Amino acid sequence: MILAIPDVLTGETLSTARAKLEGAAWIDGKATAGHQGARVKDNEQLAIDDPVGREVGAQIVAALQKHPLFVSAALPLHILPPLFNRYSGGQTFGTHVDGSIRTMSDGRRIRTDLSCALFFAEPDEYDGGELIIEDTYGTKSVKLPAGHLILYPSTSLHRVTPVTRGARLCSFFWLQSMIRDDARRTLLFEMDVGIQRVAADSPGHAGVVQLTGVYHNLLRQWAET
Ligand code: NI
């Protein structure tokens, strides 16, 4: 499932974070790419331990943990610390797949089930910079308003088209979900959305409690914690 999560960061929180990021110490993005990625990657990044990146990253994770749509769709177990990249002057990132396992600074290994990109620039501030995601249903082109996030399976091949005007500033990161399988995770998300709709239309309907029980019992069957 590929899903846009609106308004993760908004208003002053968003504009302050963006200003801090624009003034941060950008380095060559090849520094953090694997063998396969380094050949096709041309962008700038913040170092993993950059203090601005850490501060804004913590804000993003805190906002996501309070965002009901994100929690329902991702069912996150571990969210890796957000990283940041910037593309300008024709920079691009060719077709690649994200590494399956990432090692945290404390040595813990996290499986990447879902990839996330949070946009900091508005779409009309730059030309190009679409995130092109190939999944089993075809190819999707993504360019979201500032503060919005795209959630997509880490199993997908994807690329960023050349940025030919302005700058594309994003945060990107991965998470391990309690539900490893994308199809099962999608079923649970659609069930949750359906239950919420029935609950809103028919408050107190006995079926809502029953279906909520089914949702949690499926989660109990499938979840890794
Ligand atoms: Ni990637």
Side-chain angles (χ1 to χ4, degrees), residues 116-187:
C116 304
L118 173 65
F119 291 74
F120 278 89
E122 296 294 348
D124 61 3
E125 292 181 82
Y126 58 100
D127 290 335
E130 287 87 2
L131 174 64
I132 309 289
I133 303 164
E134 296 173 21
D135 82 353
T136 44
Y137 297 109
T139 298
K140 195 168 174 69
S141 174
V142 179
K143 190 170 179 174
L144 297 180
H148 294 211
L149 176 141
I150 191 77
L151 191 64
Y152 59 102
S154 301
T155 49
S156 61
L157 294 177
H158 54 276
R159 66 182 188 272
V160 177
T161 65
V163 174
T164 54
R165 177 187 63 88
R168 174 195 195 267
L169 179 60
C170 274
S171 173
F172 66 100
F173 52 98
W174 300 272
L175 65 90
Q176 182 172 329
S177 176
M178 289 188 284
I179 306 295
R180 176 181 198 154
D181 181 68
D182 190 64
R184 286 181 174 181
R185 199 186 317 109
T186 302
L187 282 173

Side-chain angles (χ1 to χ4, degrees), residues 200-222:
D201 284 357
S202 309
H205 195 296
V208 170
V209 179
Q210 197 168 12
L211 287 169
T212 303
V214 174
Y215 174 88
H216 279 285
N217 290 330
L218 284 173
L219 195 54
R220 221 184 304 276
Q221 292 272 335
W222 293 341

Side-chain angles (χ1 to χ4, degrees), residues 42-99:
D42 176 22
N43 65 7
E44 294 176 296
Q45 275 183 207
L46 295 186
I48 284 176
D49 58 354
D50 185 283
V52 172
R54 285 202 165 177
E55 182 191 344
V56 177
Q59 279 183 321
I60 293 170
V61 172
L64 286 173
Q65 282 166 341
K66 290 186 291 189
H67 201 301
L69 182 64
F70 172 83
V71 172
S72 175
L75 295 168
L77 178 59
H78 302 297
I79 302 176
L80 280 149
L83 301 171
F84 297 85
N85 61 20
R86 185 165 70 178
Y87 296 77
S88 60
Q91 285 180 317
T92 182
F93 196 166
T95 303
H96 65 280
V97 66
D98 294 340

